Amino acid sequence: MASTAPSTASAKKSTTVRAPWYIRSAFTAAERVAPGPAAKFLCEMWFRLPAGPDKRLRGEAPAGANVFELDSLGATVWGYDWGEGPLVYLVHGWGGSTGDFKFIAATLVASGYRVVAFDAPSHGNSGPGPWGDRHANGLHLVETMSAVHSKFGDPYAVVGHSMGCLSAVHGLLMNGVDLAQVRLAMLAPFIGGKEGFRDTIGAIVPVGPRIMDRLAPLGEAKAGVKLDDFSLRGLDVQSPALIVHDRRDRPNPFRHGEAVAAAWPNAELLATEGLGHRKILVSPAVGSAVAQFIRG
């Protein structure tokens, strides 16, 4: 069942970077005359992080939190452990950091929960991953979720954002966690698979079928995974779940959240208006809804 949360955001446009018109026009032309070179270029750009160490998003450990470090794929992963009570993992998305959950973390700790937040390799305060400071892939995020779970154990709940939703689910499944026992709050979920990659790239430049047919195998070869195996589609997820998605989310279209909510039998959909992809993380209404959902 879907419900709608009010927006406290101003009427600003999405901050998602969209290529200038002349770049979009070039990719429209490339679909007809040069789909191969266009696919190679997009493959390189897809795995490139939005910013390097000097400009990437970062968070700080809240007062009273315990900072930890652990190894994942040879990278030093930074995170914090804060509060007392049932364990909740906070899992950021592509190019994000623990700072994304500053307000949600405080709300949950004040509500009697223990939160563990962490930065994936080449993100936030963590060290460079296997591909260096500027490149990564989704499996690096999955492996980090697995490593954090190995240290802290099964969670009562998970709050994920964007690709963090996908990496959290796959990372916990990798470790044999019974997701039916975990409450999942998925904010602006990136669903993965060919559909997710096509639509997210398509929010930046137009990607026609000829380019996509060449791009998909290039990306799969580079990452070492079939796109449709890195997806929220087709998973038997029995978890109590709250899917929060904004109707104006550009990189991860609202219909993706609708599809996840419809496919997971114990999921509910909370639609927001005017928050886009990232303001959903700082909305008081969303934070309250997440805390209420986790309380059960």
Side-chain angles (χ1 to χ4, degrees), residues 182-206:
V182 181
R183 302 184 73 81
L184 301 178
M186 308 275 93
L187 312 183
F190 172 70
I191 62 170
K194 290 181 181 178
E195 177 186 10
F197 284 89
R198 180 198 65 220
D199 289 348
T200 298
I201 295 172
I204 304 171
V205 294

Side-chain angles (χ1 to χ4, degrees), residues 2 7 31-32 40 58-59 67 95 113 130 153-154 172-173 206 215 217 235 246 249 257 279 285:
S7 168
E31 170 69 10
R32 298 191 303 272
K40 289 180 181 178
R58 296 181 185 270
V67 172
Y113 294 93
D154 290 1
L172 293 175
L173 287 174
L215 174 59
L235 296 178
D246 194 80
D249 190 321
K279 289 180 182 177

